């Protein structure tokens, strides 16, 4: 992948001068290189990862990222440069994406039912959590909703609870973070008192 990208970017440069010319790249060209990589990569990329892919120093990558942040902060841009799951990713700007997501969206970006969203919310705020604990909050068996959320890769098994029967524990995935454009679970909005009371596990 690295060799392909470097070769693509440097197609018109003499092989014997690649290393020397790379050192003399302007900030704008380095930024364009990083932008291209982010366009080609579907997963968030850390500064270290971008440095490894491009061969640029981490300092150069950080400078390029700052320039891209400035570029994509314009209200006339159709893309956002987002930092999520500890990496940078180019993402359609939400205000425009809503108009075309039915055509270009993946299955994970389809609408979730009210029941699925409630189950996902419980898991997100109370993870790791068992089926029985989810049921104690919702009042109905969550098996179907959990199965659907697992199929959409928004939820996964994260372990076994140290309790009789060793019930399975569920938590959210990196796909969940990307779907809701979060860097980490700590970025979830705080629950108000009313919601907090609803989410208290039944004793």
């Amino acid at each position: 992948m690295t060799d392909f990208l470097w070769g693509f970017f440097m197609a018109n440069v003499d092989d014997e001068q690649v290393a020397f010319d790379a050192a003399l790249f302007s900030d704008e060209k380095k930024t364009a290189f990083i932008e291209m990589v982010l366009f080609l990569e579907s997963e968030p990329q850390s500064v270290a990862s971008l440095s490894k892919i491009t061969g640029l120093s981490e300092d150069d990558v950080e400078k390029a990222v700052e320039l891209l942040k400035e570029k994509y902060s314009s209200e006339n841009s159709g893309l956002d440069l987002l930092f999520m799951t500890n990496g940078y990713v180019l993402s359609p700007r939400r205000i425009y994406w809503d108009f075309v997501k039915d055509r270009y969206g993946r299955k994970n970006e389809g609408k979730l039912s009210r029941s699925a969203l409630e189950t996902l919310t419980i898991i997100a705020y109370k993870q790791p959590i068992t089926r029985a604990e989810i049921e104690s909050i919702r009042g109905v068996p969550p098996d179907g909703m959990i199965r659907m959320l697992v199929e959409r890769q928004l939820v996964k098994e994260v372990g076994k609870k140290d309790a009789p029967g060793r019930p399975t524990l569920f938590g959210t995935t990196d796909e969940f973070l990307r779907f809701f454009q979060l860097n980490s679970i700590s970025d979830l909005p705080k629950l108000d008192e009313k919601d907090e009371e609803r989410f208290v596990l039944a004793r």
Side-chain angles (χ1 to χ4, degrees):
M1 183 77 170
T2 302
D3 291 340
F4 166 75
L5 292 176
W6 189 253
F8 178 80
F9 195 70
M10 299 293 292
N12 297 318
V13 179
D14 186 282
D15 289 343
E16 293 182 358
Q17 296 180 331
V18 166
F20 177 74
D21 287 348
L24 295 180
F25 268 2
S26 67
D27 287 344
E28 288 77 13
K29 288 186 180 293
K30 292 174 184 176
T31 300
F33 193 11
I34 295 298
E35 183 179 35
M36 181 190 70
V37 172
L38 290 172
F39 173 79
L40 293 172
E41 294 285 349
S42 59
E43 300 294 321
Q45 300 296 315
S46 66
V47 169
S49 175
L50 289 169
S51 175
K52 182 177 180 180
I53 291 170
T54 62
L56 299 174
S57 71
E58 291 192 10
D59 284 344
D60 284 337
V61 171
E62 288 176 347
K63 290 177 183 176
V65 166
E66 290 304 312
L67 289 174
L68 288 174
K69 285 180 182 178
E70 182 177 347
K71 174 181 178 178
Y72 289 113
S73 65
S74 168
E75 63 180 13
N76 296 319
S77 173
L79 297 173
D80 279 323
L81 178 63
L82 302 178
F83 184 79
M84 57 179 69
T85 61
N86 299 312
Y88 293 96
V89 64
L90 287 176
S91 177
R93 181 155 289 184
R94 180 73 67 179
I95 190 174
Y96 303 123
W97 175 244
D98 288 341
F99 294 108
V100 296
K101 64 182 179 183
D102 288 341
R103 179 180 179 89
Y104 297 105
R106 299 171 300 176
K107 65 178 182 179
N108 285 352
E109 289 163 340
K111 289 183 178 179
L112 294 173
S113 68
R114 183 182 182 88
S115 296
L117 188 57
E118 183 175 348
T119 301
L120 182 58
T121 302
I122 292 170
I123 294 172
Y125 279 95
K126 291 298 182 180
Q127 62 185 308
I129 189 170
T130 67
R131 282 186 175 88
E133 290 167 342
I134 296 171
E135 183 173 351
S136 72
I137 295 173
R138 290 198 67 228
V140 295
D143 299 80
M145 292 299 101
I146 291 176
R147 184 165 54 251
M148 184 271 290
L149 293 171
V150 169
E151 288 175 354
R152 292 198 176 194
Q153 300 180 346
L154 296 172
V155 166
K156 65 180 179 180
E157 296 183 7
V158 296
K160 299 288 185 179
K161 187 170 185 177
D162 187 13
R166 302 277 292 168
T168 300
L169 290 165
F170 294 93
T172 54
T173 64
D174 285 347
E175 183 63 27
F176 167 86
L177 296 177
R178 286 191 289 272
F179 181 66
F180 289 101
Q181 297 190 352
L182 302 171
N183 180 47
S184 69
I185 289 299
S186 63
D187 292 330
L188 283 169
K190 300 296 183 184
L191 294 174
D192 59 29
E193 276 188 37
K194 184 177 180 180
D195 286 331
E196 190 69 51
E197 288 177 3
R198 289 184 59 245
F199 278 57
V200 172
L201 295 177
R203 299 298 180 184

